[in-house]
């Protein structure tokens, strides 16, 4: 169930994160392999949609066969981490190519390989704000924090804010 | 840890001090410092200098050096952000609230240091500036609020000496102080947090990204040494590698037994 949620959140942001596979047949196959531990109809559907809208330069073909191959052979291997490289696709954000790492049926990392902003300039990957997994965020939510950042709250809004609870605890 | 809370600028100041409370006289000075900024720049106070400029009663040429310095800083940021950040409302009124709170915070930080306080976290209405350690050897860990639930955290990040400032802007909050220079509503962000070396840079750039959308996000991360976290209207979270690392460090820190406070 958790895996399904994680994969769902990944593919929900398909406009950015979609893994654009080369052809319809391999797309279906790969999506199946990726989601084999928790596939849902909607997950598969959004993957397919993403593939459909991908504009795939043939020059990227070289990166796909190897990843597709590993997907078909390693989908259920529990302990090893597999890397899958997506095709270059156009999104409202610009041109995007990502790589995902999958271990035991879970996506463990998403790495941006190639990015171009809406103006057509390439973006430094070291600075790029990439989508992150909700589960990573959840890990930090239990942190013992000294203060809370947020868009400015009013004096009244403060009373409803988590900051006020922290301030009470500190008094 | 001693925490001082007081209202100012239509919001609340929360000052957590490691090591010991700020004495009454020091707190009074801090309060007065923020009040002075508010008295001069609030557009909610008809008698403030900025309100008198807005009403046409006072000319910018006759304004105080203090106000013109702030205006110059705001205009400089407007140029550096290609106009995504602007000190002018669409109706032409000069509104310096985009820089004033951060400038006041920077002055408060200097005052605290001058009084000998080296380990503190200063939160003014959701913008945070820290100095030193929360506990000896442990950096400050601060939360970022969930825009869907203001009583919950979205995540937590570490602030350190290199980037001790965290500012957050939202597109649907109080403070109509973000004037959208361009239409970015469809692809904009609900909330943007920027971690930087100083609070003015953090605050201005958070505003810039909310106003300018994804294109501004790319420009900002390309030009400035900052870390950024954004939340889209659908709830998708994006982080630069530096922000992600700061979040991972926060998770590690918090998993250790809390030191005695």
């Amino acid at each position: 169930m958790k895996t399904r949620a994680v994969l769902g959140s990944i593919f929900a942001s398909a406009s950015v994160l979609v893994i654009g596979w080369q052809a319809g047949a391999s797309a279906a196959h790969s999506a199946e392999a990726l989601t084999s531990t928790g596939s849902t109809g909607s997950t598969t559907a959004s993957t397919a949609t993403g593939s459909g809208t991908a504009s795939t330069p043939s020059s990227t073909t070289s990166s796909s066969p190897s990843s597709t191959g590993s997907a078909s052979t390693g989908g259920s291997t529990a302990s090893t981490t597999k890397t899958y490289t997506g095709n270059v696709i156009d999104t409202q954000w610009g041109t995007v190519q990502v790589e995902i790492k999958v271990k035991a049926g879970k996506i463990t990392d998403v790495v941006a390989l190639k990015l171009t902003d809406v103006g057509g300039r390439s973006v430094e990957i070291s600075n790029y704000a990439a989508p992150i997994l909700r589960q990573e965020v959840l890990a930090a939510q239990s942190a013992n924090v000294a203060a809370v950042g947020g868009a400015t709250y009013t004096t009244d809004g403060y009373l409803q804010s988590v900051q006020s609870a922290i301030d009470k605890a500190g008094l | 840890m001693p925490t001082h809370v007081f209202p100012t600028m239509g919001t609340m100041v929360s000052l957590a001090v490691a090591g010991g409370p700020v004495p009454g006289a020091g707190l009074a000075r801090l309060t007065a410092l923020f009040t002075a900024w508010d008295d001069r720049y609030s557009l909610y106070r008809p008698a403030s200098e900025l309100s008198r400029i807005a009403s046409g009663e006072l000319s910018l040429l006759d304004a105080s050096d203090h106000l013109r310095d702030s205006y110059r800083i705001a205009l400089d940021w407007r140029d550096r952000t290609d106009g995504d950040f602007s000190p002018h409302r669409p109706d032409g009124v000069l509104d310096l609230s985009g820089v004033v709170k951060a400038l006041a915070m920077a002055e408060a930080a200097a005052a605290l240091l001058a009084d000998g306080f080296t380990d503190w976290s200063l939160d003014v209405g959701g913008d945070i500036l820290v100095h030193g350690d929360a506990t000896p050897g442990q950096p400050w860990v601060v939360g970022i609020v969930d825009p869907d639930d203001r009583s919950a955290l979205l995540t937590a990040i570490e602030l350190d000496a290199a980037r001790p400032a965290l500012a957050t802007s939202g597109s649907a909050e109080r403070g109509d102080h973000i004037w959208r220079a361009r239409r970015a509503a469809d692809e904009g962000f609900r909330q943007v947090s920027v971690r930087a070396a100083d609070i003015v840079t953090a605050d201005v750039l958070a505003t810039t990204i909310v106003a300018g959308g994804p294109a501004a996000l790319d420009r900002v991360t390309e030009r400035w040494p900052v870390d950024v976290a954004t939340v889209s209207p659908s709830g998708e979270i994006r982080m630069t590698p530096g922000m992600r690392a700061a979040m991972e460090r926060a998770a590690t820190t918090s998993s250790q037994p809390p030191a005695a406070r």
Side-chain angles (χ1 to χ4, degrees):
Chain A
M1 197 59 198
K2 196 169 184 180
T3 303
R4 179 185 300 178
V6 170
L7 288 169
S9 73
I10 282 295
F11 288 115
S13 50
S15 65
V16 177
L17 272 181
V18 68
I19 312 300
W21 303 95
Q22 279 295 318
S26 72
H29 182 73
S30 302
E32 217 169 83
L34 277 170
T35 59
S36 58
T37 58
S39 180
T40 64
S42 61
T43 300
T44 307
S46 64
T47 306
T49 303
S51 300
T53 57
S55 72
T56 310
S58 54
S59 61
T60 62
T61 307
S62 57
S63 66
S64 285
S66 61
S67 56
T68 306
S70 58
S72 59
T73 57
S76 59
T77 306
S79 57
T80 54
T81 297
K82 300 282 182 192
T83 300
Y84 303 85
T85 305
N87 289 336
V88 178
I89 61 167
D90 292 324
T91 74
Q92 60 173 339
W93 298 77
T95 307
V96 177
Q97 182 180 31
V98 298
E99 174 183 282
I100 61 170
K101 296 184 190 307
V102 178
K103 184 175 183 181
K106 290 184 180 178
I107 296 176
T108 56
D109 201 3
V110 180
V111 182
L113 298 179
K114 176 188 173 68
L115 301 156
T116 314
D117 74 5
V118 286
R121 297 169 306 152
S122 62
V123 177
E124 282 294 324
I125 287 167
S126 60
N127 295 335
Y128 186 76
I132 71 163
L133 306 182
R134 278 274 172 179
Q135 67 181 19
E136 290 182 70
V137 178
L138 289 172
Q141 276 176 336
S142 58
N144 183 16
V145 301
V148 177
T152 305
Y153 42 75
T154 60
T155 309
D156 292 340
Y158 166 82
L159 295 173
Q160 279 85 51
S161 73
V162 63
Q163 180 66 52
S164 69
I166 288 168
D167 290 340
K168 279 179 199 154
L171 285 171
Chain B
M1 141 175 6
T3 304
H4 306 289
V5 183
F6 57 90
T8 191
M9 294 182 165
T11 184
M12 300 294 282
V13 173
S14 171
L15 173 66
V17 189
V22 177
L27 270 187
R29 272 199 299 279
L30 271 188
T31 307
L33 182 156
F34 282 107
T35 301
W37 280 87
D38 200 33
D39 285 347
R40 192 186 295 275
Y41 292 98
S42 175
L43 288 174
Y44 297 96
R45 298 174 190 275
S48 77
E49 188 177 3
L50 199 59
S51 286
R52 289 168 59 217
I53 288 172
S55 68
E57 181 187 331
L58 180 69
S59 160
L60 255 181
L61 295 173
D62 299 323
S64 65
D65 288 347
H66 195 284
L67 190 145
R68 284 189 293 170
D69 280 346
S70 301
Y71 186 37
R72 190 157 47 236
I73 291 167
L75 286 179
D76 183 43
W77 277 110
R78 183 193 63 183
D79 293 344
R80 296 169 72 190
T81 59
D82 302 330
D84 282 331
F85 177 87
S86 173
H88 297 103
R89 296 199 322 217
D91 61 3
V93 168
L94 179 60
D95 183 352
L96 296 176
S97 52
V99 291
V100 160
K101 186 171 78 169
L103 289 169
M105 287 177 71
E107 191 177 307
L112 281 166
L113 291 173
D115 280 353
F117 294 97
T118 55
D119 300 280
W120 42 259
S121 158
L122 174 68
D123 185 327
V124 182
D127 289 341
I128 303 170
L129 180 61
V130 304
H131 196 276
D133 292 339
T135 55
Q138 288 288 338
W140 292 94
V141 172
V142 302
I144 296 176
V145 78
D146 183 345
D148 286 326
D149 180 1
R150 306 292 310 264
S151 66
L153 294 186
L154 183 73
T155 187
I157 65 157
E158 183 185 283
L159 297 178
D160 56 23
R163 294 187 183 172
L166 178 76
T168 300
S169 287
S171 57
E173 301 291 341
R174 168 230 183 192
D176 304 326
H177 67 270
I178 297 179
W179 310 114
R180 289 173 186 274
R182 305 185 177 95
R183 288 294 298 168
D186 292 341
E187 54 188 27
F189 299 113
R190 285 186 60 198
Q191 181 171 292
V192 174
S193 300
V194 174
R195 178 176 177 264
D198 71 280
I199 189 64
V200 176
T201 298
D203 201 1
V204 167
L205 293 182
T207 303
T208 296
I209 295 170
V210 168
L217 171 63
D218 286 345
R219 280 195 297 275
V220 165
T221 56
E222 188 176 291
R223 292 181 193 173
W224 282 277
V226 296
D227 305 312
V228 184
T230 65
V231 183
S232 77
S234 62
E236 185 204 25
I237 302 168
R238 304 171 75 87
M239 286 189 189
T240 56
M243 188 67 96
R244 187 168 159 168
M247 177 187 71
E248 282 160 4
R249 289 198 299 276
T252 307
T253 301
S254 68
S255 67
Q256 294 166 357
R261 292 195 168 180

